[in-house]
Amino acid sequence: MRSVISVYVENKYGVLARVAGLFMRRGFNIDSLTVSETEDSRYSRITITMNGDENSREQLINQLTKLQNVRSVKLLGGDSTVEREIMLIKVRNTPENRSEIMAATEIYRAKIIDYTTDAMCVEVTGEPTKIKAFIEVMKPLGIVEMCRTGVVALDRGANVLEK
Amino acid sequence: MIMTGAKIAIEALIAEGVTDVFGYPGGQVLNIYDALYDAGDRLRHILTAHEQGAAHAADGYARVTGKVGVVIATSGPGATNLVTGIATAMLDSVPMVAITGNVPTYLIGRDGFQEVDITGVTMPITKHNYFVTDVKDLADTVREAFRIAKSGRPGPVLIDIPKDVQEAEYDYTPAAPLPPVRYPVADESLMRDAAELINTSVRPYVYIGGGAAREGLGGEILALAEKIDGYVGSSLMGLSLIPSSEGRFLGMQGMHGRYASSRAAKEADVIIAVGVRFSDRTTGDIKNYSKNAKIIQLDGDIAEINKNVPVDVGIVGDITAALLKITELCEEKKHHKWKKKIEAYREQGRAIGAEMEKNAGETLTPKKIFDVINSLKNDNTPLVTDVGQHQMWTAQYARFEKPRRLATSGGLGTMGYGMGAAIGAYIAEGERPVLITGDGSFGMNLNELATAVSYRVPMVIVVMNNGVLGMVRQWQTLFYDKRYSSTVLDRKTDFVKVAEAFGAKGERVDTADGFRDAFERALACDGPYVIDTVIGMDEFVLPMLPPGGKMEDIITEDVISSEESEKEGSE
């Protein structure tokens, strides 16, 4: 089961190490982790996506709650959440590939942000499922390298994390 | 008042009510020790032989009093020597503040002499830690550290102070300690759910651990047990909360628990768990742990609920309030069948013990040693142990009448814990401690005899000397086909001469009468007294539930001797 967890933390020395250390120590497997500043410079927001059963998700949330620098932890996901991720993907630019890459880019509402005679770099933004689908399309064309930001997510509407 | 960071640290400690600190000086804490020099009349410093001993001393100090134990060490090796002591405190939720010096901030990260990233090292074994880079933050950091150490589920907090921060000056304004944060009271509907389960049960069992002991809930737990006509068992950490003389108390349960207590846990139809974490040492095979029982778990720490054992009702929050409310909501009951069953288990347990003693004849056994200790110690005597067979024998045989009279490393299982912890316990209250140790554990940190002599700590050190690493050897006997890999010590250490060399007293005994006489002499001595007590290397801690095993797999002396004869028969 995939879960998205949002963690509101104090923007202090070592906080990321504490959070990451907790995952390692307790044996949690996480898929992605992003850290960013928030509307308030004293705090940062960490967004974690993980795969695991309900029990390990509950443990992860409870253990995170215990860290001194963690203000609040919220389980996001489902219809009430908006999720986005950015991927930069570099694909081989050959006469045979070119039109297909450009067509896919158009259909996925992605952007070509770099173009040379031997490679194209495409920026794709969207939900992780969309990113995954785009990768599948590019695979046969020859992916040179790629990089993903990991998921950022917010609750829809006026709901906010407890601070 | 303008003062140096070092002075601010000391003043902030004193403001927290600290009267004793344990530690060891070094290059990067020179300023703090210089500040201690002036504060000697308000803050006593106990110099140990090794930083590990200082950390365990702070731990022992905290366990017997409930106050925060404080330890100071220098950077690099001084700080890393604290690590075992800090982890020991973490696993048993002992409130502790460790202060370390570090190289000046402008040298941080350059791998200079005695630099180590101790905040990085201790991150997973502290409740929280700090690296102070600005003297302005120092006083607040100390206050916050004490608040965290004491709040909710207590634990160790480390403050790393670089030397230039100790030297820098800032305005210090004294302030009262921050009040520890208590867990909020859980929703009453959960207490109702719990009471409902208890009211429909016929075999209730209350299982208590360190969380209950720390809150001093002995009276409250007995009141509940009395009302619902249940029995009480404990984990290692829950010992000494309920008086041993109390009829409803069955003692420790689990791998080396008392027979009746483990059986009761197995047979119960409802288990009310108070401040326990269901460690593998108590549950055995987790899938089969009391699978017929409904489990109600009371704990302050939300992450403990459902961590190891799935529970039917999890009550997170103030356990005292929850316990009182549940007791109020429960109906008064009498369970005659349950009582009869428990009495039968007790009888079986006693028979197993009597059989073991009969087979032992005149040999000095752990049981005989504890008969003497129990009869000669008083109710206030702190019992301190190391780790191994002697620790489990203490858990099985030692009698306690008052709370906080046992200091033992339960979670981490730290051999070498006892010497420091016993010194700390004495410094805290001036009550003569009895350290039960083994020749293996004692060998780890016997250097602290030097400390005990310097501070005239009148401790009795009972070394249960069997010439082997008994607990590991017991496992090798039972599960590794008697392949005694590195457990036969074959040392020629003369513990009596060791004691004398340190300026302490000591003697060697090998009979029950000899032990009694020696113990009496030790109680009359005004310094540390080592009793090198010879026992057999084949003394086992029994009964034993094998790791991951079920109650049906319990090992008693019968099982061992029948296996022996089977083997002999087949050969």
Side-chain angles (χ1 to χ4, degrees):
Chain A
M1 185 178 58
R2 177 176 174 275
S3 308
V4 183
I5 296 159
S6 199
V7 193
Y8 205 63
V9 300
E10 290 170 12
N11 185 7
K12 278 188 179 163
Y13 167 86
V15 174
L16 181 59
R18 284 176 209 284
V19 171
L22 180 76
F23 297 146
M24 190 178 72
R25 178 161 66 101
R26 301 275 177 189
F28 296 121
N29 269 320
I30 56 165
D31 296 336
S32 77
L33 182 148
T34 64
V35 193
S36 67
E37 54 181 44
T38 63
E39 64 286 352
D40 183 338
S41 64
R42 291 170 302 166
Y43 301 101
S44 306
R45 189 191 271 265
I46 299 177
T47 310
I48 299 158
T49 59
M50 70 175 289
N51 259 302
D53 58 15
E54 205 171 324
N55 209 28
S56 52
R57 183 177 72 192
E58 186 188 320
Q59 262 294 307
L60 176 80
I61 292 173
N62 290 344
Q63 294 289 358
L64 278 170
T65 310
K66 281 166 64 178
L67 291 178
Q68 297 296 327
N69 297 133
V70 169
R71 278 311 172 96
S72 69
V73 186
K74 192 173 183 193
L75 179 66
L76 302 180
D79 294 342
S80 60
T81 301
V82 283
E83 284 180 44
R84 286 296 180 271
E85 186 177 357
I86 298 179
M87 170 174 69
L88 302 183
I89 183 164
K90 204 184 284 176
V91 195
R92 202 154 287 136
N93 185 4
T94 63
E96 302 79 52
N97 278 352
R98 198 165 300 142
S99 60
E100 200 167 343
I101 297 171
M102 292 174 77
T105 304
E106 177 79 24
I107 292 161
Y108 277 82
R109 275 177 286 167
K111 259 192 284 184
I112 295 169
I113 56 170
D114 185 48
Y115 188 103
T116 61
T117 48
D118 42 9
M120 273 194 254
C121 184
V122 184
E123 174 198 317
V124 192
T125 304
E127 293 190 359
T129 45
K130 172 180 162 184
I131 306 262
K132 215 175 142 199
F134 191 82
I135 294 171
E136 288 307 315
V137 176
M138 291 300 121
K139 254 185 196 164
L141 306 178
I143 298 171
V144 181
E145 60 179 353
M146 55 180 268
C147 178
R148 297 168 67 166
T149 56
V151 170
V152 291
L154 285 179
D155 260 347
R156 287 181 192 275
N159 287 344
V160 291
L161 262 184
E162 197 182 310
K163 280 155 199 177
Chain B
M1 214 167 113
I2 301 289
M3 55 177 86
T4 63
K7 278 215 157 105
I8 291 174
I10 296 300
E11 288 303 324
L13 286 180
I14 293 169
E16 291 295 324
V18 178
T19 51
D20 308 279
V21 294
F22 303 87
Y24 205 99
Q28 307 299 351
V29 275
L30 267 166
N31 295 70
I32 290 177
Y33 274 85
D34 192 59
L36 262 173
Y37 198 69
D38 290 329
D41 52 334
R42 293 179 296 154
L43 188 57
R44 177 166 59 151
H45 178 264
I46 312 294
L47 175 67
T48 56
H50 187 289
E51 288 92 349
Q52 186 186 351
H56 291 324
D59 172 307
Y61 185 98
R63 286 193 207 227
V64 297
T65 58
K67 292 196 270 187
V68 179
V70 182
V71 59
I72 302 176
T74 191
S75 65
T80 54
N81 280 344
L82 296 179
V83 166
T84 303
I86 293 172
T88 304
M90 183 69 179
L91 269 277
D92 289 343
S93 310
V94 176
M96 180 191 286
V97 167
I99 293 177
T100 50
N102 209 333
V103 298
T105 48
Y106 53 85
L107 284 178
I108 291 284
R110 291 162 188 260
D111 302 325
F113 180 64
Q114 293 191 331
E115 185 198 348
V116 83
D117 170 21
I118 196 63
T119 41
V121 169
T122 57
M123 218 169 254
I125 53 162
T126 49
K127 217 177 148 185
H128 193 59
N129 61 19
Y130 297 92
F131 177 60
V132 184
T133 51
D134 191 334
V135 67
K136 287 192 205 100
D137 303 327
L138 188 52
D140 281 340
T141 301
V142 173
R143 285 172 201 133
E144 188 74 6
F146 274 79
R147 186 186 63 78
I148 293 171
K150 289 184 283 190
S151 289
R153 181 181 187 169
V157 179
L158 179 133
I159 309 171
D160 195 25
I161 315 174
K163 190 171 168 117
D164 56 335
V165 176
Q166 298 171 33
E167 284 166 347
E169 291 190 331
Y170 191 65
D171 187 24
Y172 173 74
T173 320
L178 301 169
V181 181
R182 281 194 67 85
Y183 288 118
V185 178
D187 191 39
E188 202 179 302
S189 67
L190 292 168
M191 276 78 123
R192 286 188 193 288
D193 293 346
E196 210 166 287
L197 285 181
I198 297 168
N199 286 339
T200 54
S201 80
V202 289
R203 295 186 302 278
Y205 178 80
V206 188
Y207 171 35
I208 59 171
R214 189 166 46 247
E215 294 287 312
L217 294 177
E220 289 80 353
I221 281 158
L222 281 173
L224 172 69
E226 201 68 45
K227 192 168 182 189
I228 64 174
D229 203 17
Y231 286 83
V232 185
S234 81
S235 67
L236 178 63
M237 301 313 296
L239 285 176
S240 145
L241 175 62
I242 309 264
S244 306
S245 53
E246 179 56 52
R248 292 198 176 271
F249 185 57
L250 302 174
M252 185 173 77
Q253 65 147 308
M255 182 177 279
H256 292 299
R258 308 307 291 145
Y259 183 77
S261 195
S262 300
R263 281 311 291 258
K266 167 82 183 164
E267 301 282 328
D269 62 355
V270 68
I271 294 177
I272 305 127
V274 188
V276 301
R277 65 162 163 252
F278 293 104
S279 121
D280 58 295
R281 284 298 189 263
T282 55
T283 58
D285 177 13
I286 238 146
K287 286 196 190 72
N288 278 298
Y289 178 74
S290 306
K291 58 180 173 189
N292 302 319
K294 297 280 182 208
I295 301 178
I296 300 161
Q297 188 182 8
L298 281 62
D299 209 295
D301 182 348
I302 187 170
E304 285 306 333
I305 307 291
N306 288 326
K307 184 173 89 177
N308 293 332
V309 168
V311 299
D312 298 278
V313 181
I315 303 178
V316 183
D318 187 318
I319 60 173
T320 311
L323 192 64
L324 289 173
K325 191 72 203 171
I326 291 171
T327 309
E328 186 196 313
L329 293 170
C330 280
E331 294 158 8
E332 240 170 275
K333 294 270 181 177
K334 282 282 170 240
H335 303 297
H336 298 290
K337 269 192 184 159
W338 186 222
K339 188 176 175 193
K340 249 175 123 174
K341 222 171 188 178
I342 296 285
E343 284 312 323
Y345 292 148
R346 275 194 153 146
E347 197 40 58
Q348 284 169 28
R350 269 193 287 268
I352 293 169
E355 182 68 16
M356 278 165 64
E357 283 309 296
K358 206 180 96 197
N359 295 342
E362 288 302 298
T363 339
L364 183 56
T365 57
K367 170 79 167 51
K368 292 191 187 104
I369 292 170
F370 276 97
D371 285 345
V372 172
I373 295 174
N374 287 332
S375 70
L376 293 179
K377 78 176 177 75
N378 66 52
D379 290 352
N380 291 319
T381 303
L383 278 192
V384 183
T385 81
D386 267 303
V387 168
Q389 287 182 310
H390 69 269
Q391 180 190 29
M392 291 298 104
W393 286 321
T394 307
Q396 295 185 333
Y397 300 128
R399 297 183 66 82
F400 300 97
E401 294 303 322
K402 290 194 172 171
R404 291 192 179 279
R405 292 302 90 187
L406 173 66
T408 189
S409 168
L412 194 67
T414 308
M415 287 175 73
Y417 165 78
M419 273 306 295
I423 292 168
Y426 176 74
I427 296 295
E429 317 180 298
E431 197 69 52
R432 183 194 306 267
V434 175
L435 168 63
I436 319 286
T437 182
D439 47 332
S441 286
F442 189 49
M444 282 203 176
N445 280 334
L446 56 76
N447 52 359
E448 296 302 341
L449 267 175
T451 314
V453 168
S454 301
Y455 293 91
R456 302 191 77 79
V457 178
M459 60 195 289
V460 187
I461 302 163
V462 179
V463 184
M464 292 191 158
N465 189 347
N466 54 7
V468 295
L469 300 176
M471 185 58 99
V472 178
R473 188 175 183 279
Q474 174 168 341
W475 284 55
Q476 288 170 336
T477 306
L478 295 171
F479 313 121
Y480 290 83
D481 216 12
K482 299 191 180 174
R483 289 154 56 84
Y484 296 126
S485 179
S486 295
T487 50
V488 181
L489 290 174
D490 195 25
R491 288 177 183 157
K492 303 287 176 270
T493 314
D494 182 334
F495 288 125
V496 178
K497 281 192 181 146
V498 166
E500 283 162 0
F502 275 102
K505 289 204 168 74
E507 62 178 296
R508 186 176 171 89
V509 298
D510 56 7
T511 63
D513 286 344
F515 181 73
R516 173 174 288 272
D517 294 344
F519 204 86
E520 276 170 352
R521 280 189 284 276
L523 290 179
C525 181
D526 63 355
Y529 199 102
V530 176
I531 309 175
D532 184 10
T533 311
V534 183
I535 59 166
M537 65 172 74
D538 288 318
E539 286 290 348
F540 278 7
V541 184
L542 296 172
M544 175 178 192
L545 279 168
K550 299 191 275 289
M551 196 64 209
E552 296 84 320
D553 307 327
I554 196 161
I555 299 169
T556 60
E557 199 164 42
D558 284 353
V559 178
I560 291 168
S561 48
S562 69
E563 272 177 9
E564 294 278 303
S565 51
E566 256 172 48
K567 263 189 197 150
E568 278 160 25
S570 64
E571 271 162 11

